[in-house]
Amino acid sequence: MIVAGIGCRKGTTAQEIEAAIDAALAEAGQPREALSCIATSDGKGAEPGIIEAVSGRGLQLVLVKPAELESAGPRTRSSSPRVKELFGVPSVAEAAALAAAGPTSILLVPRLVLGPATCAIAGPEDGA
């Protein structure tokens, strides 16, 4: 299971989110078709850009609750002081990807920042 975790500023467009996902997948050496789902904090679940990006790919949107983000937090690799203050985790994108991919998942690509969107890719240790 390959999961794209998304973080973004309010009002980020679907095109900006898509660009971040595509860049992170390229960094992971994974094709678009490898993506199983897209995950984000349940507080970001109503963002029109995220909804449109998920719909455009025909994937499921996994909304990760704060407790699940916190549980995945120790496995994240990057940190934003602003995100830590707002969400209680070092990186929403990384924590969401890890939480949705499961307790034994790893980051294949840490948080990649592209304009107002961030994307991290999580999956199994072997990358398959």
Side-chain angles (χ1 to χ4, degrees), residues 41-42 64-76 83-92 94-100:
S41 160
D42 67 354
V64 182
K65 299 200 177 307
E68 295 169 305
L69 287 175
E70 288 176 25
S71 290
R75 295 188 288 146
T76 63
V83 169
K84 180 77 170 159
E85 182 179 317
L86 292 172
F87 296 97
V89 293
S91 167
V92 168
E94 291 182 8
L98 289 163

